[in-house]
Amino acid sequence: MPSVFIKTYGCQMNERDSEAVAAQLVAKGYTIAASEKTADVVLLNTCSVRDNAEQKALMKMENLAGNFRKRRPDVVLGFMGCMAQSRGQELIDKLPDVDLVLGTQKFHRAAEYLDELLAGRQKKIVDVAEEQGSEGTIKEHLLNGTAKSAVTAFVSIMQGCNQYCTFCIVPHTRGEERSRTIPDIVAECRELVSRGVKEITLLGQIVTSYGKRGWSPSFSLSEHPQTPDTLKRGLQLSPFVQLIEAVHEIDGLERIRFTSPHPKGYGDDLVAAYARLPKLCESAHLPVQSGSDRVLKLMHRGYTRERFLEIIRKLRAAKPDIGLTTDIIVGFPGETEEDFEQTLSLAREAEFDNAFLFKYSPRRDTPAAAMPDQLAEDVIEARHARLLEVINEIGARRYRKLVGERVQILVEGPSRNNDARMTGRTRCGRIVVFDGNARHRGELMDVKIERAGLFTLYGDPAVVNL
Ligand code: 5AD
């Protein structure tokens, strides 16, 4: 049977899509190649969020199409995911060695199209059309053979985004918001737990909008009555919190996480869920993008700096030790020194555990790309360096505070950098490396933190687990 190698660029959603495509291909008899060198099919699952990410995938494909293709003329080369969606046929015009361009609503067609191409029935396939119900097709998992197998899993709960932030290409690459139904998602989670998964991360481009629009045609709220508990409390719960509650009821599941929420939809019911639901880990990735109200408005984010800080205060009131991370864009068009200083001060005030910093990158068809006052690269570079210093300093301080503390980790497997050691995550989402044994994989374990590196903790389980 043909073997396939999938290289993934970008976010966790992309990782998840690649996994689902791989699992679908395996179910059809394909094997997963250990490297592109031996594969019959090489697919690049692409990211469009910044130009940088697109260039990386384009360069990779150029390399594959060059020497590699000459040595192995029968190999099938394909782009899938976000850049495939936004560029379509243009990719084959530019790189004629590409055989397949598979959009974000067509992942489940990969096997069918590869069969056609491998059998020579078709020479090129480009499919970037919309497909109703495609949000429900990312459900297969590869739980064996990979390093992280069977302890943690990602579950895709929705596709698309209707927020239309002015910098962001995602509404163009992922389409309108469409949510899977609660019973469908719960069934997938149950299956994962029955196969040994202990921690599930619910994924979507904007999970706080889950179920607010674009339900699958078969869905109605009455299909999944609110839990009796909820009725007793008489709370009006958003569909997303209803989903968390339903997943929370699965026996054997230990931990729930989700990403990414949007501050605009971060209601009090979600804050309260942290206090109420013990499996919901006290960590939150809440993208702020900027600390300046003026820039937030230009970005079309739908909240102010003060509202963002209020959410954080409420989360910390509910869970004082919550681990908070964020995304920040540096150098949005028109960002002044004053605006940037507002971002620096917000970073200090919010005390994030970590932040992903992005240098603004103009994306086609987005309003921000046409805004006046695009910033020079060196200005963006300098601000990025200043902000990084602040983020690292605060992060290091927050990590150091944990030295000497006892924390619970879920052991995921061998450490990425050192096979002889094991790694796990605290409930707050911090990585802990320790001298352990592979048999601890999948266990919840208490460790004592001995030392803190930059965004990594080193623990000693022997102290508490004799
Ligand atoms: N330029 C730079 N960063 C961007 N992001 C999204 N669009 C852009 C862009 N045009 C960042 C945001 C988002 C993260 C996934 O990528 O911070 O939260």
Side-chain angles (χ1 to χ4, degrees):
M1 267 322 253
S3 65
V4 55
F5 183 77
I6 305 179
K7 184 169 171 57
T8 309
Y9 298 85
C11 64
Q12 287 149 318
M13 272 66 86
N14 287 8
E15 296 282 347
R16 173 69 197 108
D17 295 337
S18 293
E19 189 208 10
V21 168
Q24 288 163 9
L25 290 172
V26 167
K28 293 266 163 65
Y30 285 74
T31 58
I32 302 299
S35 100
E36 67 203 28
K37 295 198 179 71
T38 57
D40 302 308
V41 176
V42 181
L43 299 174
L44 304 184
N45 191 6
T46 55
C47 168
S48 286
V49 100
R50 283 167 303 149
D51 186 52
N52 216 329
E54 291 204 342
Q55 293 310 324
K56 266 196 226 162
L58 287 168
M59 257 155 58
K60 179 77 193 169
M61 189 57 92
E62 264 172 46
N63 283 337
L64 291 171
N67 284 337
F68 184 67
R69 184 70 179 253
K70 279 197 198 89
R71 264 183 283 126
R72 304 189 49 218
D74 293 334
V75 82
V76 169
L77 300 176
F79 279 119
M80 60 182 201
C82 289
M83 184 173 67
Q85 184 69 42
S86 67
R87 298 199 179 205
Q89 175 67 35
E90 184 192 321
L91 289 168
I92 294 189
D93 297 343
K94 192 174 150 72
L95 292 163
D97 280 283
V98 172
D99 307 295
L100 174 66
V101 178
L102 197 64
T104 52
Q105 306 199 21
K106 299 292 175 177
F107 292 119
H108 57 293
R109 306 233 174 241
E112 179 190 321
Y113 290 156
L114 289 176
D115 284 351
E116 291 285 298
L117 292 164
L118 286 162
R121 286 189 293 272
Q122 292 201 55
K123 286 260 165 286
K124 306 275 171 197
I125 298 177
V126 177
D127 190 356
V128 294
E130 288 181 14
E131 185 169 324
Q132 221 192 18
S134 63
E135 66 279 4
T137 62
I138 308 294
K139 48 168 68 164
E140 288 83 359
H141 290 261
L142 265 189
L143 288 179
N144 41 26
T146 62
K148 284 174 92 185
S149 74
V151 178
T152 62
F154 292 142
V155 171
S156 173
I157 64 167
M158 65 184 299
Q159 288 290 325
C161 182
N162 290 19
Q163 177 63 28
Y164 287 94
C165 298
T166 54
F167 53 79
C168 190
I169 200 168
V170 165
H172 306 281
T173 60
R174 292 278 175 172
E176 297 269 297
E177 289 167 16
R178 290 109 53 214
S179 299
R180 297 174 64 191
T181 65
I182 291 179
D184 197 24
I185 296 165
V186 169
E188 180 177 333
C189 295
R190 264 190 212 292
E191 164 71 14
L192 288 166
V193 171
S194 77
R195 290 159 74 179
V197 167
K198 299 285 189 328
E199 175 182 305
I200 285 177
T201 303
L202 304 172
L203 288 182
Q205 277 85 29
I206 179 160
V207 293
T208 35
S209 294
Y210 171 80
K212 288 192 178 161
R213 51 177 82 78
W215 284 107
S216 301
S218 62
F219 185 86
S220 78
L221 264 181
S222 58
E223 214 177 287
H224 62 96
Q226 295 184 337
T227 58
D229 241 344
T230 315
L231 288 176
K232 263 183 258 153
R233 282 191 308 275
L235 279 175
Q236 188 53 44
L237 296 184
S238 58
F240 182 54
V241 174
Q242 292 180 42
L243 170 67
I244 297 175
E245 289 220 348
V247 173
H248 195 269
E249 280 175 24
I250 299 173
D251 284 337
L253 178 63
E254 303 280 359
R255 291 176 163 193
I256 302 172
R257 303 183 190 278
F258 57 83
T259 199
S260 288
H262 191 291
K264 190 178 149 190
Y266 217 103
D268 286 347
D269 63 331
L270 186 51
V271 174
Y274 280 99
R276 187 173 71 241
L277 303 173
K279 295 179 185 175
L280 184 58
C281 288
E282 42 275 26
S283 74
H285 178 71
L286 195 53
V288 65
Q289 314 298 5
S290 169
S292 151
D293 281 342
R294 202 182 69 81
V295 173
L296 287 171
K297 199 159 187 183
L298 286 172
M299 288 177 163
H300 192 238
R301 291 292 289 175
Y303 55 86
T304 60
R305 167 199 179 91
E306 183 42 37
R307 169 67 187 134
F308 180 86
L309 290 168
E310 181 191 31
I311 297 169
I312 285 191
R313 280 194 296 270
K314 286 183 173 175
L315 282 169
R316 288 212 164 108
K319 287 281 173 187
D321 294 329
I322 194 164
L324 291 176
T325 56
T326 196
D327 291 341
I328 300 174
I329 295 178
V330 180
F332 185 82
E335 181 189 80
T336 62
E337 175 62 25
E338 229 169 42
D339 292 320
F340 177 65
E341 276 166 20
Q342 290 277 304
T343 298
L344 286 175
S345 84
L346 177 127
R348 289 201 184 92
E349 211 172 322
E351 288 207 51
F352 298 112
D353 288 272
N354 199 356
F356 299 94
L357 308 185
F358 298 89
K359 296 172 201 157
Y360 172 71
S361 166
R363 309 315 294 133
R364 65 160 98 174
D365 300 331
T366 61
M371 284 180 187
D373 304 324
Q374 302 280 326
L375 268 59
E377 233 168 82
D378 57 336
V379 174
I380 299 182
E381 204 63 58
R383 287 182 187 167
H384 179 270
R386 283 163 69 196
L387 184 56
L388 188 63
E389 205 180 306
V390 170
I391 293 295
N392 284 349
E393 182 208 309
I394 296 168
R397 190 174 349 115
R398 287 183 63 81
Y399 272 63
R400 270 199 308 271
K401 265 201 342 216
L402 280 173
V403 174
E405 298 275 309
R406 191 182 279 210
V407 294
Q408 184 211 60
I409 61 169
L410 174 62
V411 183
E412 291 181 17
S415 160
R416 224 193 310 169
N417 301 327
N418 179 353
D419 251 13
R421 315 189 84 187
M422 296 293 282
T423 176
R425 272 177 201 271
T426 66
R427 285 177 59 93
C428 301
R430 296 171 182 131
I431 292 173
V432 179
V433 175
F434 65 101
D435 285 323
N437 191 300
R439 82 188 140 83
H440 293 307
R441 197 139 161 275
E443 280 177 22
L444 289 169
M445 182 186 265
D446 279 346
V447 295
K448 187 170 171 217
I449 301 303
E450 305 270 85
R451 150 175 102 75
L454 191 63
F455 304 118
T456 306
L457 298 168
Y458 297 88
D460 184 357
V463 179
V464 282
N465 297 284
L466 293 174

